[in-house]
Amino acid sequence: MRASISIILFFLFNTSFAQNITVSGYVTDLNTGEKLIDATVYNETTKDVVLTNNYGFYSMKIPKNSNVTISVSYVGFLSINKTFKINSNKHIDFELQYDNELEEVILIATKEKPIEKRAEMSVISIPIKEIKNLPAIGGESDIIKSLQLMPGVQSGVEGSSQLHVRGGSPDQNLMLLDDVPLYYVSHLGGFVSTFNTDAINSVKLIKGGFPAKYGNRLSSIVDVRMKEGNAKKFGGNVMVGMIASKISIEGPIKKDTTSYIISARRMLYDIISRAVSSISSKGKLIQGYHFYDINAKINHKFSDKNHIYLSAYLGNDNNYFKTKDNERDVNEINETTDKINWGNNLIAFRWNHLFSQRLFSNTTLSYTRYRFSYINEFKEVEENQETKRISKFNSGIYDANAKIDFEFYATKNYHLNFGVSATHHTFNPGVLSYKIKESEQVKDTVFGSKKLKAVETAAYVENKFELGKRLSVNLGLRYNRYQVSNKDYESFEPRALANFLITDDMSIKASYAEMQQNIHLLTTSGVGMPIDLWVPSTEEVAPQRSKQWALGLSKTLNKEYELSIESYYKELGNLISYKEGATYFSSSNDWQEKIETKGKGISFGVELLARKKYGKTTGWLGYTWAKSTRQFSNINFGKTYPYRYDRRHDFSVVANHKLRDNIDISATWVFGTGTAITLATSKYNIINTPTSGFTETEWTSNFSEVRYYGGKNAFRMRNFHKLDIGIRFHKELEHGTRTWNLSIYNVYNRQNPFYYFYENHGDYDEQGHFIEGSVRLRLKQKSLFPFIPSVSYSYKF
Amino acid sequence: MKKIIFLFSILFLNSCIKTVEIEIPKDKPKQVLNCLFTANDRISASINNSIPILEEDYSIIDNANIILYEDDIEIETLVYDDGVYKSTTHTQYNKVYKIESSVLGFETIIAEDVIPKQPTIINIGFVEWAYYDPNYEGFFGKTSITIEDNGNQTNYFEVLVVRRFYFNDEIITRPTSIEVTSDPVVSNELDVQNYPTHLVFTDKSFNGSTHTITFDFVNHYNEEDSPINYKVIINSISENYYLYKRRLNRHTDFQKGYIGDIFIEPIQMYTNVENGFGIFAGYNEYSQMFYH
């Protein structure tokens, strides 16, 4: 800490004598006014490079009274140059034009800040346009599934929109939508992510080397930014797909000053299923499921110094199942209704304020909510007597947050980021209520876990500086305080990252990060079902902790290819898990009675990534070798066991190719070591009770057949691999562009295992008669996603 | 829980689900030792073998060479008699017993355990038919057991009620099913299933003091049977015995083939047999008979 302060003072002192002035401003898309995040601002005279921040803002030192040429570039856009001579601080905005001519893109690519010069590591960003080009089931492009194709990231089970980053569990990923956390980011039982790509501007995944501004998750940060809405002209997009259909509209309320975007998506399955199930069952069964989400955002620019944003997200999944039986007598009715709902709400207000050319601030006020509810209603009418039984299960998490972040561009070699935040959490880890109404009598019973409130405060400081031409460093410290009931958990989390240029096109990177996570996810499924329970750290359950070390090499080859190799070692502590045999609704009232605490985890591995970002053909090749284990005192007899998604080998190839101006093709192939599961491989008989007092006949029947599992997660399912392909046809129409998107999931119809199970199975003779004594146990595999072709149509205007 | 999973499965996945049968590598069979022994009694052990999960036929092992040790001193070789290997020596409290079994074609197995001190029971209360429960259309009995605990060590206990009755002119002995008590000493043992035939627990919450545990047992059997007597048994059990019993019922519950299988982790069975499976564990019984 003392060293950090010395460094800060040195650079601040140094600044006062420099003959430099500051130029700052925003980089935006010329056609839409959308802010460009991580655009490169390059001073051709001094060779200095800065990147725009999450709001498209940059600040750069230039020599006073000298001719300076600044070029600004961004992937997929034409770069622009401006030459000027100024003698005082100045605000200059840049507007870049989107370019379809790929050859031009190759030219500008040379000016993007290359990977080896970026003072960051373990960071992945995929342009939304590239995500939309990837093959997808039902034509529903998915941010999370695209990230799963990167090294160090896994999906868990096939089709799931969960992330397992560097051996971490899904709850250890901080999912930020416009700087606000979302807790459960899946629709459709975990198979579609909540992020609608039509409403998203950018996505960035950080797997390690975490900047101090991020906290409260152990394994990764997924920073998703919504679009701001076209500030130039009205436009929109309509898509009809096999999973969902969606519409987006955006435009200026006042040109270049106020704009909005509204994007809505809905699954339409229930419209058909309700009707079909009702007709086919003659009204005895009605079932339906749908999800929807709405993203909305409005922003207003008061001046170059003040800009406000209001963004909202509303997402919900509704599952409905009703059976009715009145066959015996019209006066006797049995009705059962099950309703399952879950979803997120989020609202965030943000204010960007420039205190000066060098001091940028962002203030955020937000509220986010996740809730899950299951309602079962049973109605019985018999001899005009009605009995009604209603059981409800509710769980949820509610956060109100305020924070302010500052970015201080002190000198051309030193940037200081700092900020504070406070969050008020309300946790409802699960309340079950029963209501029985019989004749005139009503009985109400409520039991389960108590609501819990907690306050979390944090402060951080990040020092980004360059020492000479070759070494850039980011040293940071985050302080976190979590207050729950009568307990305070404090943590000081050091963060360090260094990037050293070995040659002009190759660097070595190293990082260290400590993290604390104050919430936990209790899961029995491991699949990412909404029934997984978010629970807080309490007086008895300490926050999760992690330490991660990473070391890597980065290189740009032929100015077109990014190559990187990274190794990491991660320690996890204070993990929780259900006790062996405990389940969601098991008899104990409070979740804390059902869990094991103080679990440990270790993950380590090596990741290789070769990526081509520019040209007619883009894509990447990723490979990960990794190992991830867990250990709890009372699970697996205290022995260390493989994490369920411990995957030794993980390989992916992703390719996009522009065949013609109006046709894109894409393909992905993935391979992964089989999932680790607990599966019986032997069986034997074991004695039930002491034989004392039993007769000899009883002694022989005093045995139970038991199974031997070889340890928790000791068995590997078959390896996973599949090929997906997609093709997109674009056509310019009078008022816009239409696109047909054809995809094939699992082209060669690989039967990848979803789960294994044992089943007793008997044989039948040729006449269809059951053969006595033929029953024996067999192992079976369920596969979910065979060869699936799909099509979607979209129209952009 | 199962309903929720069922709904998800039906609505989202069913259209795509494919089931295929697969083979798995066969585990090499191992010896299985089963022996629960008590003080002042002869040791009776059975030896058989494990089989690969997809096979059905167990074979009897009648050619095992089983050596019994007492406090690490070899005392005898057990003799095979009608499916069981028996000792001539009578066991004693607080001695360590070890068994070593060798069978051609199998790894040699070793297991050892002690017989704990007999429990100190202050009182046993017993009511044969305490109340009638219309939901179950039958009678329940009630038992209360007051235990004085030795505070110098962790002690483990097992309680059960054994019912002896005539049925079709035969005398049958069966442990009764127990209504799970709300006593935290028992309910904190998470593995307690519904209506177990025995309860196992530790003295963790009453170490060094006296505790009374009360529970009801199912006493509504076939009307044609005729009760003779009841035996309330309180066993001091070894740690190995406790760990094995604690897992046995839950283990068998969770291996059943219902749809929730994929979401609920199986319970692994405990064994203290090196290089093999099964259980070799000591107990010391205190019991009291109650007549009909």
Side-chain angles (χ1 to χ4, degrees):
Chain A
M1 189 66 188
R2 191 177 293 172
S4 297
I5 293 167
S6 304
I7 291 164
I8 294 165
L9 291 175
F10 168 76
F11 283 104
L12 287 174
F13 178 74
N14 193 35
T15 312
S16 61
F17 292 99
Q19 294 300 305
N20 286 333
I21 54 164
T22 304
V23 58
S24 65
Y26 292 90
V27 179
T28 55
D29 181 335
L30 175 70
N31 296 323
T32 64
E34 203 71 51
K35 301 281 170 46
L36 300 179
I37 298 167
D38 284 344
T40 305
V41 182
Y42 177 61
N43 184 336
E44 296 195 349
T45 314
T46 63
K47 311 294 182 200
D48 292 332
V49 181
V50 295
L51 300 179
T52 56
N53 69 7
N54 285 331
Y55 302 90
F57 177 78
Y58 76 95
S59 176
M60 177 180 250
K61 289 283 172 190
I62 59 169
K64 195 175 180 182
N65 283 326
S66 309
N67 277 320
V68 171
T69 302
I70 302 267
S71 75
V72 182
S73 56
Y74 188 69
V75 179
F77 285 75
L78 286 171
S79 64
I80 58 169
N81 297 317
K82 270 189 185 176
T83 302
F84 46 79
K85 183 179 176 181
I86 49 176
N87 57 12
S88 63
N89 293 343
K90 194 167 177 62
H91 184 101
I92 301 175
D93 292 337
F94 293 92
E95 290 185 314
L96 304 189
Q97 184 167 15
Y98 182 73
D99 182 42
N100 282 318
E101 300 299 321
L102 291 162
E103 289 73 18
E104 292 292 331
V105 176
I106 293 170
L107 290 176
I108 65 162
T110 57
K111 288 175 184 166
E112 195 202 17
K113 194 170 190 177
I115 184 172
E116 65 274 8
K117 289 182 180 162
R118 284 179 230 149
E120 61 183 25
M121 74 180 299
S122 313
V123 174
I124 290 167
S125 64
I126 311 174
I128 295 298
K129 186 172 167 30
E130 194 168 6
I131 290 172
K132 285 186 169 181
N133 280 346
L134 294 177
I137 292 184
E140 190 58 48
S141 54
D142 195 310
I143 285 171
I144 301 295
K145 285 180 182 161
S146 305
L147 293 173
Q148 288 166 356
L149 298 167
M150 285 293 185
V153 187
Q154 292 173 34
S155 65
V157 299
E158 183 182 9
S160 159
S161 57
Q162 288 197 308
L163 291 179
H164 297 260
V165 180
R166 291 185 169 174
S169 51
D171 61 300
Q172 293 171 354
N173 308 310
L174 180 61
M175 298 286 184
L176 293 172
L177 182 61
D178 273 357
D179 259 344
V180 183
L182 286 177
Y183 283 92
Y184 180 74
V185 292
S186 294
H187 290 302
L188 202 58
F191 295 103
V192 176
S193 88
T194 52
F195 300 113
N196 176 357
T197 47
D198 282 355
I200 303 302
N201 180 20
S202 73
V203 57
K204 185 192 281 187
L205 169 71
I206 306 172
K207 301 181 286 182
F210 302 105
K213 73 177 285 191
Y214 297 112
N216 203 12
R217 292 295 189 282
L218 303 190
S219 290
S220 83
I221 313 297
V222 180
D223 192 350
V224 180
R225 303 276 160 175
M226 276 169 62
K227 284 180 180 173
E228 290 172 11
N230 197 321
K232 309 285 183 182
K233 60 176 184 179
F234 175 78
N237 190 48
V238 179
M239 193 204 93
V240 180
M242 292 170 67
I243 288 182
S245 297
K246 53 191 178 182
I247 181 167
S248 296
I249 54 166
E250 57 185 315
I253 294 172
K254 187 178 177 189
K255 195 176 176 187
D256 290 328
T257 303
T258 310
S259 64
Y260 69 91
I261 179 169
I262 300 172
S263 189
R265 176 171 67 159
R266 193 189 193 280
M267 188 186 198
L268 304 173
Y269 168 78
D270 62 316
I271 295 170
I272 303 162
S273 71
R274 281 188 187 229
V276 169
S277 59
S278 179
I279 293 165
S280 62
S281 66
K282 295 177 183 170
K284 288 180 185 168
L285 170 71
I286 302 170
Q287 67 172 55
Y289 166 82
H290 75 270
F291 70 79
Y292 68 87
D293 47 41
I294 299 167
N295 293 76
K297 190 168 179 179
I298 184 167
N299 75 94
H300 177 71
K301 184 179 169 185
F302 287 100
S303 65
D304 286 340
K305 289 189 172 180
N306 291 291
H307 203 147
I308 59 167
Y309 308 82
L310 183 67
S311 42
Y313 169 84
L314 173 66
N316 222 28
D317 286 58
N318 298 302
N319 193 347
Y320 182 85
F321 196 90
K322 183 176 182 178
T323 56
K324 192 175 179 181
D325 178 15
N326 60 352
E327 208 169 68
R328 290 165 292 169
D329 186 336
V330 287
N331 296 319
E332 288 186 15
I333 298 170
N334 277 317
E335 257 184 33
T336 307
T337 308
D338 290 286
K339 292 176 193 167
I340 307 168
N341 301 302
W342 70 94
N344 285 288
N345 298 152
L346 174 159
I347 187 161
F349 169 78
R350 287 175 300 154
W351 170 39
N352 287 176
H353 176 66
L354 275 178
F355 286 93
S356 72
Q357 300 283 345
R358 295 193 292 160
L359 184 59
F360 175 91
S361 74
N362 176 58
T363 306
T364 305
L365 300 173
S366 66
Y367 175 79
T368 181
R369 179 181 86 155
Y370 168 71
R371 75 266 176 270
F372 169 82
S373 78
Y374 169 55
I375 301 169
N376 172 265
E377 286 180 17
F378 175 76
K379 191 172 95 175
E380 188 182 48
V381 180
E382 207 166 296
E383 294 171 0
N384 294 325
Q385 287 280 340
E386 184 179 297
T387 305
K388 211 171 184 179
R389 285 194 286 271
I390 303 168
S391 61
K392 291 180 184 176
F393 180 83
N394 290 301
S395 76
I397 180 166
Y398 313 84
D399 286 356
N401 172 270
K403 66 172 186 163
I404 183 161
D405 302 293
F406 294 93
E407 295 177 21
F408 180 54
Y409 300 84
T411 73
K412 72 174 188 177
N413 294 326
Y414 176 65
H415 295 170
L416 173 69
N417 295 348
F418 57 99
V420 292
S421 69
T423 306
H424 182 270
H425 300 282
T426 305
F427 298 96
N428 176 10
V431 172
L432 193 57
S433 64
Y434 288 113
K435 188 174 185 178
I436 301 171
K437 192 179 170 190
E438 202 167 352
S439 303
E440 296 305 311
Q441 287 190 320
V442 178
K443 289 179 196 167
D444 255 328
T445 316
V446 176
F447 58 90
S449 306
K450 286 177 190 166
K451 271 190 183 176
L452 203 65
K453 294 182 191 299
V455 175
E456 186 177 338
T457 46
Y460 70 90
V461 59
E462 278 179 38
N463 304 283
K464 294 180 178 177
F465 50 90
E466 291 177 2
L467 297 170
K469 293 282 182 192
R470 296 197 173 273
L471 180 63
S472 50
V473 178
N474 184 347
L475 290 179
L477 183 68
R478 183 178 180 87
Y479 166 76
N480 186 282
R481 185 179 186 199
Y482 177 79
Q483 297 164 280
V484 61
S485 304
N486 296 315
K487 183 88 176 174
D488 272 13
Y489 292 101
E490 284 186 309
S491 70
F492 290 91
E493 303 163 25
R495 315 283 173 85
L497 188 148
N499 187 61
F500 181 73
L501 268 175
I502 304 168
T503 65
D504 282 349
D505 61 0
M506 184 162 73
S507 72
I508 184 166
K509 295 173 188 251
S511 69
Y512 173 73
E514 287 188 21
M515 305 285 268
Q516 173 166 303
Q517 179 173 329
N518 301 318
I519 56 167
H520 306 259
L521 185 69
L522 266 175
T523 172
T524 49
S525 67
V527 182
M529 293 291 219
I531 50 174
D532 293 345
L533 202 62
W534 285 101
V535 294
S537 295
T538 64
E539 288 176 278
E540 285 78 32
V541 181
Q544 304 179 60
R545 295 298 308 262
S546 75
K547 293 177 182 174
Q548 186 181 165
W549 294 260
L551 183 67
L553 272 176
S554 299
K555 181 177 171 60
T556 299
L557 200 66
N558 296 334
K559 297 181 178 176
E560 261 190 83
Y561 298 94
E562 276 184 8
L563 305 175
S564 72
I565 175 168
E566 284 189 15
S567 60
Y568 65 90
Y569 181 86
K570 184 159 70 175
E571 291 176 355
L572 306 168
N574 289 339
L575 305 179
I576 67 167
S577 174
Y578 274 119
K579 285 182 178 175
E580 288 185 330
T583 59
Y584 203 57
F585 293 124
S586 58
S587 57
S588 301
N589 286 343
D590 193 88
W591 60 272
Q592 292 183 90
E593 292 169 20
K594 304 177 195 172
I595 62 165
E596 298 290 348
T597 57
K598 296 181 181 171
K600 293 175 187 164
I602 288 177
S603 298
F604 54 91
V606 179
E607 299 163 358
L608 293 166
L609 177 65
R611 191 169 181 189
K612 185 171 183 290
K613 282 184 172 176
Y614 318 108
K616 282 192 171 182
T617 305
T618 60
W620 64 86
L621 193 149
Y623 171 74
T624 308
W625 182 95
K627 194 169 181 185
S628 181
T629 59
R630 297 287 187 270
Q631 192 265 328
F632 288 81
S633 301
N634 295 316
I635 294 178
N636 200 38
F637 304 110
K639 291 178 195 160
T640 300
Y641 59 89
Y643 179 51
R644 182 176 167 89
Y645 299 108
D646 169 44
R647 188 172 285 181
R648 199 70 68 248
H649 304 282
D650 190 67
F651 185 77
S652 59
V653 186
V654 175
N656 272 307
H657 181 69
K658 196 170 181 73
L659 208 59
R660 291 187 208 158
D661 282 350
N662 61 337
I663 303 176
D664 307 316
I665 56 171
S666 60
T668 62
W669 186 76
V670 292
F671 171 89
T673 305
T675 305
I677 58 167
T678 310
L679 187 81
T681 52
S682 292
K683 58 188 175 185
Y684 58 94
N685 287 314
I686 198 161
I687 190 168
N688 283 328
T689 51
T691 53
S692 171
F694 283 73
T695 64
E696 288 299 318
T697 7
E698 285 164 340
W699 161 249
T700 52
S701 61
N702 187 28
F703 285 88
S704 294
E705 187 176 77
V706 296
R707 293 177 178 181
Y708 171 66
Y709 295 92
K712 186 175 169 73
N713 295 341
F715 190 86
R716 293 280 171 174
M717 292 205 287
R718 295 202 297 165
N719 292 334
F720 172 88
H721 56 88
K722 71 175 173 72
L723 171 71
D724 303 338
I725 57 171
I727 185 163
R728 288 155 59 90
F729 300 95
H730 312 280
K731 189 175 180 182
E732 293 295 329
L733 303 176
E734 192 178 352
H735 297 293
T737 308
R738 70 107 176 99
T739 301
W740 282 104
N741 185 346
L742 309 177
S743 291
I744 298 175
Y745 184 91
N746 197 358
V747 172
Y748 53 85
N749 196 25
R750 162 77 176 176
Q751 302 289 317
N752 285 305
F754 185 67
Y755 65 90
Y756 284 178
F757 67 103
Y758 284 111
E759 191 175 69
N760 279 313
H761 191 85
D763 294 328
Y764 293 82
D765 63 19
E766 287 173 358
Q767 281 76 43
H769 299 125
F770 180 71
I771 302 170
E772 287 294 330
S774 67
V775 173
R776 66 181 180 87
L777 200 65
R778 297 185 188 188
L779 180 62
K780 296 195 171 179
Q781 169 196 295
K782 288 276 186 199
S783 301
L784 283 194
F785 298 101
F787 173 90
I788 304 175
S790 54
V791 60
S792 69
Y793 173 87
S794 63
Y795 180 72
K796 188 176 181 184
F797 54 95
Chain B
M1 174 72 171
K2 279 187 221 169
K3 204 166 198 172
I4 294 175
I5 293 162
F6 174 75
L7 288 171
F8 278 117
S9 308
I10 295 296
L11 292 175
F12 308 151
L13 313 175
N14 215 26
S15 58
C16 299
I17 285 179
K18 285 251 180 341
T19 306
V20 291
E21 189 174 332
I22 56 171
E23 290 294 321
I24 54 168
K26 288 182 180 177
D27 278 0
K28 195 179 170 190
K30 291 183 175 184
Q31 286 190 67
V32 180
L33 165 66
N34 278 299
C35 180
L36 300 175
F37 55 98
T38 187
N40 308 316
D41 200 0
R42 295 195 303 161
I43 279 185
S44 294
S46 80
I47 296 283
N48 48 34
N49 62 285
S50 64
I51 57 173
I53 188 79
L54 298 180
E55 293 184 2
E56 292 301 326
D57 298 323
Y58 290 98
S59 52
I60 295 167
I61 295 179
D62 54 9
N63 58 343
N65 181 36
I66 303 178
I67 301 167
L68 179 68
Y69 297 82
E70 187 182 73
D71 285 342
D72 261 346
I73 297 164
E74 182 178 331
I75 50 171
E76 66 171 306
T77 299
L78 304 193
V79 177
Y80 185 74
D81 176 22
D82 196 18
V84 183
Y85 294 85
K86 289 182 176 170
S87 72
T88 52
T89 313
H90 280 67
T91 53
Q92 295 173 51
Y93 145 70
N94 217 19
K95 298 267 187 190
V96 177
Y97 291 92
K98 184 168 86 175
I99 262 188
E100 192 177 294
S101 170
S102 310
V103 179
L104 195 63
F106 291 87
E107 270 189 281
T108 297
I109 58 170
I110 298 170
E112 71 173 35
D113 205 21
V114 294
I115 299 171
K117 190 183 172 189
Q118 195 180 40
T120 307
I121 304 301
I122 309 293
N123 183 51
I124 297 177
F126 182 84
V127 181
E128 185 181 8
W129 289 323
Y131 61 92
Y132 179 82
D133 188 332
N135 289 329
Y136 295 96
E137 295 179 350
F139 285 93
F140 280 75
K142 196 179 266 299
T143 305
S144 63
I145 302 162
T146 305
I147 303 169
E148 187 179 280
D149 185 57
N150 172 8
N152 297 326
Q153 63 195 50
T154 304
N155 295 306
Y156 304 89
F157 300 96
E158 177 183 46
V159 295
L160 62 159
V161 176
V162 176
R163 184 173 189 264
R164 188 176 284 255
F165 56 97
Y166 282 110
F167 184 71
N168 289 343
D169 296 331
E170 260 189 83
I171 294 178
I172 310 281
T173 308
R174 286 273 187 274
T176 61
S177 297
I178 295 170
E179 172 98 343
V180 175
T181 164
S182 59
D183 186 331
V185 168
V186 175
S187 62
N188 285 345
E189 302 280 342
L190 195 81
D191 297 347
V192 172
Q193 59 165 185
N194 287 329
Y195 297 101
T197 54
H198 59 268
L199 299 174
V200 290
F201 52 91
T202 72
D203 63 352
K204 203 167 138 189
S205 59
F206 63 95
N207 189 31
S209 61
T210 299
H211 181 79
T212 300
I213 175 172
T214 304
F215 60 90
D216 303 338
F217 59 91
V218 179
N219 202 8
H220 53 272
Y221 291 91
N222 194 319
E223 286 176 4
E224 292 166 14
D225 72 25
S226 168
I228 304 168
N229 57 35
Y230 301 84
K231 191 175 175 186
V232 178
I233 300 173
I234 306 98
N235 290 326
S236 271
I237 57 177
S238 70
E239 186 181 4
N240 284 318
Y241 190 117
Y242 168 77
L243 292 171
Y244 131 78
K245 264 296 172 70
R246 202 165 170 251
R247 287 172 169 267
L248 180 58
N249 289 327
R250 299 293 280 181
H251 171 90
T252 48
D253 279 356
F254 280 95
Q255 70 185 31
K256 287 169 190 165
Y258 56 80
I259 192 165
D261 258 5
I262 59 166
F263 300 116
I264 297 172
E265 280 288 295
I267 306 288
Q268 295 182 66
M269 196 52 217
Y270 177 78
T271 182
N272 65 335
V273 179
E274 274 180 51
N275 305 323
F277 302 123
I279 187 69
F280 180 72
Y283 67 96
N284 206 336
E285 180 180 310
Y286 178 97
S287 62
Q288 193 172 329
M289 200 74 87
F290 295 89
Y291 292 91
H292 173 63

